[in-house]
Amino acid sequence: MIHRRRLLLAAAGGAGLGLARLAAGAPNIGPAGLSAGALESAEWDTLPGKLPLIKRSWRPPNFETPTRFFNEPFTANDAFFVRYHLAGIPQVDAGTWRLRIGGDGVTKPFELSLAELQRDFEHVELAALCQCSGNRRGLSDPHVPGVQWGYGAMGNALWKGVRLKDVLARAGLAPDAVEIAFDGADTAPLDATPDFVKSLPAWKALDENTLIAWQMNGEALPHWNGFPVRLVVPGWTATYWMKHLVSIDVRRSALQGFWMNPAYRVPKGKFPIIERFVSQEVPASTPITEMVVNSLITNLRDQMMYKARSPLFVRGLAWDGGFGVNRVEVSTDGGREWRLAELGEDHGRFSWRQWTFAFTPDPGEHVVMAKASNRIGATQTFDLVFNPAGYHNNVVQRIRINCA
Amino acid sequence: MIHRSVTTRLASGAIGLALACGAQAGEDAIELKDGPGREQVQRNCIACHSLDYIQMNSPFLDRKGWEASVGKMIKVMGARIDDADARVIVEYLAAHYGK
């Protein structure tokens, strides 16, 4: 039976893409490198208020942004990826929403309405990339369990809100506060499931760039991206960017629980990570923290034909964990020779940065690659640094094109 | 039928707020491979997630891998799956969605 939703999607102009999926034997959405089951189970679908995105799972909803949206400096709200762990997702009423600030690390616990949050603290707006820790997990070789993301579990936006540190200051922070824990309004269908609660080390929570935000690209947060208020933790992976934020607990001890350990961990010493979460470290592993240097070619498609003997523009993005990307090199011969790409406008060190590279291809096959570096000299890897959760995949892409 | 039971379960949960279940319609069309154990999978797993999680995570887990996944659902996520069903579910997943 043809599913009605797919027909609607195609009719709504989710483009020929929706229609293409209806035809038997149509090519899958990709990308190449995902497991057969991940390729077969993905489809275009539309969450309320969103454009057609790549459905990885329906419940909880996990929807990926198609690469074509990444040719813009900021990712449209209705194309922004969606990621949930737990299927109980409330429609939060902004009028009755309250943010509770408490815990054993404060002297003056209090509550805020949205109007008070917006009235009482200085407003800050900054550009930052929000990238799921597991972005590109589906490309891990060997494959590892979890949501089988391709390249699109990320988006860049302008976030507006107030500094978390200003809100915490009103609560009277204890000098020995070690972690700040955050809870959102989403819940699990079963009471026995660990609630999704995450903490930050106090130093990161108090960073002037860590925000409690209610706006994204000049508009209220979309429901699926945390309405009415979410945490914005520039430089760090999105696991810490709590959506539908309802409570902040200042703690004098480390937060325990599944979502802190064993979830969202990387093996110690495998990645060039600078920012540490010391109160959560154990001998074998540490929580994931800042994003590694990475890049994405956004306009060329693998195995496609392009015109020879006329300028071909390679476009893409580059980002890191907040040190700032300062160099992108492109190779068009499979990595033998590298040349500098031209960097686009700098929207701040937490934003991704666009880049372009022009070359005039001879007829034949070319393998195009891009490699970003940042201000502290970190760069991408050529071979996967395997880890059981499939995090920090910054393997240099190899895009094979044919020119004629 | 499956859809209704999930909605009921969610609506009777701890949160009194209206739930946004916009994405639920799509999962009705999921068809897992036929075989002994499919019924136990459908009955148990849908309490918390759509069944495309199983399709998506295939076919790269071996029997041990699926055993670990089902074990995590019971021990960590609190799924109330009895031992007999858990054994059947692991067999089904290994046979139809295993490597």
Side-chain angles (χ1 to χ4, degrees):
Chain A
M1 189 185 78
I2 292 168
H3 195 253
R4 196 170 140 262
R5 178 169 287 265
R6 283 195 214 162
L7 284 174
L8 288 173
L9 166 61
L17 294 166
L19 279 170
R21 288 284 292 161
L22 289 172
N28 56 51
I29 301 170
L34 296 187
S35 72
L39 290 170
E40 284 159 19
S41 63
E43 50 184 279
W44 298 98
D45 200 8
T46 313
L47 290 167
K50 291 280 183 181
L51 294 167
L53 301 176
I54 303 165
K55 186 282 300 178
R56 297 283 173 215
S57 72
W58 270 301
R59 181 173 53 90
N62 286 295
F63 283 67
E64 180 171 333
T65 303
T67 304
R68 66 188 172 90
F69 288 102
F70 297 147
N71 286 301
E72 304 295 327
F74 295 103
T75 313
N77 289 7
D78 54 8
F80 215 90
F81 82 103
V82 174
R83 199 276 180 262
Y84 281 90
H85 298 87
L86 308 176
I89 305 168
Q91 203 76 252
V92 181
D93 172 15
T96 56
W97 174 87
R98 293 290 181 277
L99 177 60
R100 190 187 62 76
I101 297 103
D104 64 5
V106 299
T107 50
K108 295 169 287 181
F110 68 104
E111 278 191 7
L112 280 172
S113 67
L114 186 55
E116 288 163 342
L117 182 75
Q118 294 172 340
R119 184 196 65 199
D120 293 356
F121 305 93
E122 187 190 345
H123 292 193
V124 179
E125 190 166 46
L126 59 78
L129 171 64
C130 177
Q131 181 182 224
C132 176
S133 308
N135 195 21
R136 306 187 183 185
R137 173 187 292 119
L139 304 171
S140 177
D141 182 16
H143 291 298
V144 293
V147 177
Q148 300 295 301
W149 298 111
Y151 294 99
M154 63 172 187
N156 200 46
L158 272 173
W159 308 93
K160 186 175 180 179
V162 299
R163 292 185 187 93
L164 173 60
K165 77 183 182 82
D166 292 348
V167 174
L168 291 176
R170 184 188 282 189
L173 218 58
D176 58 350
V178 289
E179 291 185 10
I180 320 292
F182 305 90
D183 194 9
D186 45 330
T187 58
L190 303 179
D191 289 341
T193 305
D195 191 19
F196 184 65
V197 182
K198 295 289 295 185
S199 67
L200 284 172
W203 70 265
K204 184 66 178 177
L206 295 170
D207 186 290
E208 63 177 0
N209 297 298
T210 301
L211 307 183
I212 301 173
W214 59 81
Q215 232 180 57
M216 180 175 165
N217 295 324
E219 293 168 5
L221 296 176
H223 166 69
W224 303 108
N225 299 106
F227 183 86
V229 161
R230 79 177 303 170
L231 201 65
V232 169
V233 190
W236 284 30
T237 64
T239 183
Y240 299 103
W241 298 43
M242 186 62 68
K243 297 188 294 297
H244 315 291
L245 183 65
V246 290
S247 83
I248 300 177
D249 264 313
V250 180
R251 302 177 55 95
R252 295 159 68 205
S253 61
L255 176 68
Q256 308 292 314
F258 171 76
W259 299 108
M260 294 304 296
N261 189 8
Y264 287 106
R265 295 256 155 183
V266 291
K268 262 188 184 166
K270 271 206 163 185
F271 297 98
I273 290 305
I274 305 292
E275 301 189 344
R276 289 175 59 185
F277 195 160
V278 174
S279 54
Q280 290 283 343
E281 287 181 6
V282 296
S285 73
T286 181
I288 192 167
T289 53
E290 83 266 24
M291 293 176 274
V292 294
V293 188
N294 214 339
S295 67
L296 180 71
I297 295 169
T298 54
N299 72 325
L300 296 187
R301 298 203 170 197
D302 200 45
Q303 308 293 349
M304 292 293 274
M305 290 290 288
Y306 295 89
K307 203 168 177 208
R309 298 194 186 93
S310 65
L312 177 62
F313 286 88
V314 186
R315 297 180 202 285
L317 302 166
W319 63 92
D320 76 338
F323 299 98
V325 164
N326 67 350
R327 193 165 53 140
V328 174
E329 294 157 277
V330 173
S331 171
T332 59
D333 58 5
R336 279 198 293 276
E337 198 179 318
W338 294 87
R339 293 197 200 134
L340 285 179
E342 189 180 330
L343 297 181
E345 192 179 337
D346 184 356
H347 294 284
R349 62 194 170 98
F350 300 111
S351 169
W352 66 29
R353 195 149 179 194
Q354 293 183 292
W355 52 263
T356 53
F357 179 85
F359 77 112
T360 303
D362 290 330
E365 190 187 85
H366 301 269
V367 177
V368 182
M369 303 166 76
K371 182 176 60 142
S373 308
N374 69 2
R375 290 188 195 135
I376 59 167
T379 186
Q380 298 179 234
T381 61
F382 287 95
D383 297 308
L384 181 76
V385 181
F386 179 83
N387 63 104
Y391 297 145
H392 288 326
N393 181 336
N394 67 346
V395 175
V396 172
Q397 287 177 284
R398 296 173 65 89
I399 297 192
R400 207 171 287 273
I401 61 167
N402 282 293
C403 296
Chain B
M1 291 309 266
I2 286 167
H3 184 191
R4 188 163 308 131
S5 70
V6 173
T7 311
T8 310
R9 196 185 285 261
L10 289 172
S12 64
I15 37 172
L17 295 156
L19 287 155
C21 296
Q24 273 194 23
E27 72 173 281
D28 288 352
I30 298 172
E31 266 203 52
L32 291 186
K33 291 175 192 167
D34 197 10
R38 181 168 73 166
E39 190 213 315
Q40 283 86 342
V41 168
Q42 289 173 336
R43 178 153 34 87
N44 286 283
C45 305
I46 59 154
C48 297
H49 63 83
S50 47
L51 299 173
D52 45 6
Y53 269 81
I54 293 169
Q55 302 169 319
M56 177 172 66
N57 282 287
S58 74
F60 53 86
L61 295 173
D62 56 14
R63 197 183 183 288
K64 224 175 113 192
W66 278 119
E67 206 164 50
S69 280
V70 174
K72 174 183 166 186
M73 294 305 153
I74 296 167
K75 291 192 208 84
V76 179
M77 298 301 174
R80 288 185 295 263
I81 305 174
D82 65 44
D83 290 352
D85 273 8
R87 276 194 297 275
V88 171
I89 288 169
V90 169
E91 287 311 322
Y92 171 84
L93 294 173
H96 298 281
Y97 292 93
K99 74 171 177 191

